[in-house]
Amino acid sequence: MELTLTQPDDWHLHLRDGSLLDAVLPHSASHFGRAIVMPNLRPPVTTTSAAAAYRESIMRALPAKSNFTPLMTLYLTDSTKPDEIKLARQSGAVFAVKLYPAGATTNSQDGVTDLLGKCLPVLEEMVKQDMPLLVHGEVTDAAVDIFDREKVFIDTVLQPLIHKLPQLKIVMEHITTSDAVSFVESSKEGFIAATVTPQHLLLNRNSIFQGGLQPHNYCLPVLKRETHRQAIVAAVTSGSKKFFLGTDSAPHEKRRKECPCGCAGIYNAPVALSLYAKVFEEAGALDKLEAFTSFNGPDFYGLPRNKSKITYVIVDSPRQGLLHVRTQAS
């Protein structure tokens, strides 16, 4: 079966830097027209000038004749200044600001500790500049169970934030719970949206432990119960404009995944589109796949939709029953 889609975009991508960037970038560039690139490098990308330099590194690493466009982000800290948001908007290269609660995930040690205090002037400037806030939605309080951290974040951080700044555009990234689905669905369209990963559509928390500890199924936010997975599938295949593709493809060196204290992150860039297609096909919703992959994201960001089309050949695979997507020129 063939499926023709407008060129998809990835609205949440980790490309890293150095040799790892060189190794993984071709996989994303071969599937996606644009990607929101995460800023959690070491050191983090906290300024517009650093974002511009990182963008140049990405452009140099692209395969020949690639049309892939990186959309850069800034890493929010307690010391970020409102003037930096003005510079970011003026640059034409920075499209969002990323909120990492300090200690929440990979390279988040420099993240935010006082969102509605020290960061409030920056958030107010983001409203003025129509600059979205991308949220890693988990609290980091050790007293909160890891499986409850998304719900607690919604209740204690996001709800007060949207009450304080109702005009702030927010993307709740890589949602994992029915609580997040309900929060997004009940919010004002055009101001609150969510990205969804392949792993949170296909796997539940049993996948981390079945047949022994599975480090390549470990990510943050961590996989949740099956009931949550089903709620996310129902949301993205419903046709709602509030949900769009964000792989959260997060590469690590093998030695840093398969070790006594392995890193969080699932590298899915080479197969992400085939996995999304599998989810929509199994839900009987392939007619809604294009909006999820290609329309909802740029519409939320106020960017034009891609004009190019890509035709995929979808074939049953004897290996694990997956759908493999092969790209053909159109």
Side-chain angles (χ1 to χ4, degrees), residues 57-68:
S57 296
I58 295 169
M59 297 303 292
R60 287 194 298 269
L62 280 173
K65 299 182 180 180
S66 173
N67 293 320
F68 177 82

Side-chain angles (χ1 to χ4, degrees), residues 73-96:
T73 61
L74 296 186
Y75 184 115
L76 183 65
T77 73
D78 288 344
S79 59
T80 302
K81 303 301 182 186
D83 283 348
E84 194 63 55
I85 305 304
K86 295 177 183 177
L87 289 173
R89 176 54 76 198
Q90 292 166 3
S91 73
V94 176
F95 291 83

Side-chain angles (χ1 to χ4, degrees), residues 154-168:
I154 292 169
D155 293 341
T156 63
V157 180
L158 274 186
Q159 293 286 11
L161 175 60
I162 62 174
H163 178 75
K164 184 79 171 179
L165 296 171
Q167 300 303 307
L168 178 65

Side-chain angles (χ1 to χ4, degrees), residues 75 99-105 108-109 111-113 135-140 153:
Y75 184 115
L99 165 61
Y100 290 106
T105 189
S108 63
Q109 62 272 16
V112 169
T113 65
V135 173
H136 182 108
E138 292 186 289
V139 297
T140 56
F153 184 90

Side-chain angles (χ1 to χ4, degrees), residues 8 45 49 72 93-94 98 109 141 197 234 255 260 272 275:
V45 181
S49 59
M72 309 311 294
V94 176
K98 180 62 182 275
Q109 62 272 16
D141 184 347
T197 75
R255 64 182 177 83
L275 297 178

